[in-house]
């Protein structure tokens, strides 16, 4: 794994990956060419020294220094154009040396056929053509000069002509391949752009749907809350209505004494306090609370029952609690647990009523260990 990471680090210059896919590939190609070419040129230098070809050895040493410097520079400054220029210059010098030095069994000219593809691949069609044109003109110039003057080249004039024609044809093929690649790159970019737009539209639609669902859920919750409050206030309002009706009857009959009035007003005040407590409980429940803390599970059960019990009992459903561990606590947001209990109890109520269960009942239980809350 470490070896694989080390190789990737060598091939990928810079701390951050390239933005464009083709640039990322060119970075890898540039580093790969340098890492392969340097050992090859070191070998050529050794062979040139062994055969006393000092000039060629000096050229190879210059190329080695140029490539190593480019590799080090490329690690800190990801300038693809400069790095590829150094590589193409090294290749061009190698090809010119090859014209004089030749190769094994005069097959050194095969190295020339890598040049058009490298030039266009690394620097694009425009700048690649400059490099190719310079190489072709060099070969053509040497061919013309060799016809008129003796020039110690390793290849006959006819071979230079064949090399010139072959490189011209290969350059056309390289340009065609690059055109096809650019076409597919443009199509891929257009597809990616279209895909991004579609994804953005779908995300926006999903957000709108989510907002709508949240709004619907909020309205449903508000409806449930209104229903709960209506049942909570039903009894206190009935008591207040009954007391005020009695007061109306006593006034014309002059049967209302001060003590009876104080007692009735105290009863009304007690009912109003009960209604006020109901509103406070609902406000505390509805209030957003992102603060997490330890709280007793029994407190959430009591809060749930204070809001929903009148509604449950109005439907002739018995609700009981069995707290085997009153000290059971949990860490989190109490409102969330209360909401879960409200949903469970409300769903249980709906299921009991829809199935016409006889003697319906709902039970809330905490086990002895205090690690299980059961609604059944």
């Amino acid at each position: 794994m470490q070896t694989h990471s080390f190789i990737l680090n060598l091939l990928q210059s810079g701390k951050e990956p390239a933005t464009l896919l083709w640039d990322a590939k060119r970075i890898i190609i540039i580093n790969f060419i340098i890492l392969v070419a340097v050992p090859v040129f070191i070998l050529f230098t050794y062979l040139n020294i062994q055969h006393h070809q000092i000039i060629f050895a000096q050229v190879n040493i210059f190329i080695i220094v140029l490539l190593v410097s480019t590799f080090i520079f490329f690690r800190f400054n990801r300038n693809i154009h400069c790095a590829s220029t150094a590589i193409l210059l090294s290749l061009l010098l190698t090809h010119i040396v090859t014209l004089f030095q030749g190769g094994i069994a005069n097959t050194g000219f095969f190295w020339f056929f890598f040049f058009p593809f490298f030039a266009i691949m690394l620097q694009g069609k425009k700048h690649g053509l400059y490099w190719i044109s310079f190489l072709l003109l060099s070969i053509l110039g040497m061919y013309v000069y060799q016809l008129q003057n003796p020039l110690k080249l390793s290849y006959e004039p006819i071979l230079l002509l064949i090399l010139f024609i072959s490189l011209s044809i290969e350059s056309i093929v390289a340009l065609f391949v690059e055109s096809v690649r650019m076409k597919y790159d443009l199509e891929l970019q257009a597809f990616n752009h279209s895909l991004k737009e579609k994804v953005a539209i779908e995300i926006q639609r999903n957000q709108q749907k989510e907002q709508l669902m949240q709004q619907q859920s909020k309205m449903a919750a508000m409806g449930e809350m209104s229903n709960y409050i209506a049942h909570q206030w039903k009894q206190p309002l009935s008591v207040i209505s009954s007391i005020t009706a009695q007061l109306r009857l006593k006034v014309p009959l002059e049967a209302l004494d001060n003590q009876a009035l104080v007692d009735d007003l105290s009863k009304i005040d007690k009912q109003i306090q009960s209604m006020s407590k109901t509103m406070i409980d609902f406000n505390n429940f509805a209030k957003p609370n992102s603060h997490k803390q330890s709280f007793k599970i029994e407190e959430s059960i009591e809060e749930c029952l204070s809001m929903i019990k009148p509604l449950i009992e109005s439907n002739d459903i018995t609700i009981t609690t069995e707290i085997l561990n009153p000290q059971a606590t949990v860490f989190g947001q109490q409102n969330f647990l209360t909401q879960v209990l409200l949903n469970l109890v409300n769903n249980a109520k709906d299921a009991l009523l829809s199935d016409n269960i006889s003697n319906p009942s709902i039970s809330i239980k905490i086990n002895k260990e205090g690690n299980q809350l059961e609604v059944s």
Side-chain angles (χ1 to χ4, degrees):
M1 189 67 181
Q2 291 180 350
T3 304
H4 183 261
S5 300
F6 176 74
I7 294 174
L8 284 178
N9 184 45
L10 283 178
L11 295 178
Q12 295 176 348
S13 296
K15 295 181 180 180
E16 300 294 333
T19 305
L20 299 177
L21 180 61
W22 181 238
D23 285 346
K25 291 182 178 179
R26 286 199 295 174
I27 289 170
I28 294 176
I29 292 170
I30 289 171
N31 285 311
F32 180 78
I33 291 173
I34 294 175
L35 292 172
V36 172
V38 169
V40 173
F41 280 110
I42 292 174
L43 177 61
F44 286 168
T45 303
Y46 173 77
L47 294 176
N48 288 329
I49 294 174
Q50 290 292 319
H51 291 85
H52 304 289
Q53 297 175 331
I54 304 302
I55 296 178
F56 297 146
Q58 291 174 345
V59 173
N60 287 333
I61 291 174
F62 171 77
I63 293 174
I64 292 171
V65 172
L66 178 61
L67 290 177
V68 172
S69 301
T70 301
F71 183 78
I72 296 173
F73 170 78
F74 202 43
R75 305 299 295 173
F76 302 99
N77 187 347
R78 187 189 285 161
N79 191 321
I80 295 177
H81 182 76
C82 290
S84 60
T85 298
I87 290 176
L88 293 176
L89 179 60
S90 302
L91 290 175
L92 187 63
L93 290 174
T94 303
H95 293 338
I96 294 175
V97 169
T98 302
L99 290 175
F100 290 91
Q101 186 182 13
I104 301 173
N106 276 346
T107 57
F109 62 87
F110 282 115
W111 290 95
F112 284 82
F113 296 112
F114 291 101
F115 192 84
F117 283 103
F118 281 152
I120 294 176
M121 178 174 56
L122 295 178
Q123 292 204 345
K125 294 170 68 174
K126 181 179 178 181
H127 292 92
L129 277 176
Y130 294 156
W131 288 96
I132 294 171
S133 299
F134 188 82
L135 178 62
L136 290 176
L137 290 175
S138 300
I139 296 173
L140 185 62
M142 290 183 183
Y143 168 75
V144 174
Y145 186 84
Q146 194 176 25
L147 290 177
Q148 301 176 355
N149 302 281
L151 188 63
K152 293 181 180 180
L153 295 177
S154 297
Y155 304 104
E156 297 294 329
I158 186 62
L159 286 178
L160 291 178
L161 184 61
I162 293 173
L163 179 61
F164 177 84
I165 296 173
S166 301
L167 281 175
S168 300
I169 295 173
E170 188 192 0
S171 300
I172 295 173
V173 173
L175 288 171
F176 174 75
V177 171
E178 179 67 10
S179 299
V180 173
R181 185 197 66 78
M182 290 178 63
K183 176 184 176 183
Y184 282 111
D185 276 359
L186 291 174
E187 291 179 353
L188 181 61
Q189 289 178 7
F191 174 77
N192 289 336
H193 181 70
S194 174
L195 185 61
K196 286 181 180 178
E197 290 183 345
K198 291 180 180 179
V199 169
I201 292 173
E202 288 299 321
I203 290 175
Q204 186 178 6
R205 288 177 179 174
N206 290 335
Q207 289 176 344
Q208 292 174 349
K209 289 179 181 178
E210 185 177 352
Q211 291 175 355
L212 180 60
M213 291 176 63
Q214 289 177 350
Q215 184 66 21
Q216 291 174 344
S217 176
K218 184 177 180 181
M219 295 300 295
M222 289 177 64
E224 291 290 341
M225 288 290 184
S226 300
N227 198 17
Y228 295 156
I229 293 173
H231 279 85
Q232 288 281 46
W233 282 7
K234 186 175 182 180
Q235 184 178 358
L237 288 173
S238 297
V239 173
I240 293 173
S241 177
S242 175
I243 294 173
T244 55
Q246 292 177 10
L247 290 175
R248 289 193 189 96
L249 290 174
K250 290 179 180 180
V251 171
L253 299 175
E254 296 182 353
L256 181 64
D257 56 39
N258 291 337
Q259 186 60 41
L261 179 60
V262 170
D263 291 341
D264 288 340
L265 290 176
S266 297
K267 292 177 183 178
I268 292 174
D269 184 62
K270 183 178 180 181
Q271 299 303 318
I272 292 174
Q273 289 180 7
S274 175
M275 295 171 68
S276 177
K277 183 179 181 302
T278 299
M279 287 305 302
I280 292 173
D281 290 341
F282 277 99
N283 285 335
N284 290 335
F285 171 72
K287 187 185 300 180
N289 180 17
S290 59
H291 179 63
K292 293 184 178 182
Q293 59 183 2
S294 294
F295 62 91
K296 291 184 179 181
I297 301 176
E298 187 179 11
E299 294 176 357
S300 283
I301 296 175
E302 291 175 353
E303 186 177 2
C304 169
L305 293 179
S306 69
M307 289 185 283
I308 201 172
K309 192 172 182 179
L311 178 62
I312 297 297
E313 292 178 344
S314 68
N315 287 284
D316 297 324
I317 298 175
T318 304
I319 185 164
T320 60
T321 59
E322 186 178 359
I323 313 299
L324 301 181
N325 188 347
Q327 303 303 319
T329 60
V330 66
F331 181 79
Q333 299 181 30
Q334 185 171 345
N335 285 358
F336 287 178
L337 180 57
T338 305
Q339 177 67 57
V340 171
L341 288 170
L342 281 171
N343 290 339
L344 290 173
V345 173
N346 195 52
N347 291 340
K349 181 225 14 167
D350 293 340
L352 291 169
L353 294 177
S354 63
D355 293 341
N356 295 320
I357 303 297
S358 59
N359 300 320
S361 65
I362 299 173
S363 172
I364 302 176
K365 179 181 177 181
I366 300 177
N367 65 354
K368 291 182 179 179
E369 292 76 17
N371 55 13
Q372 186 177 43
L373 174 62
E374 181 182 298
V375 179
S376 60

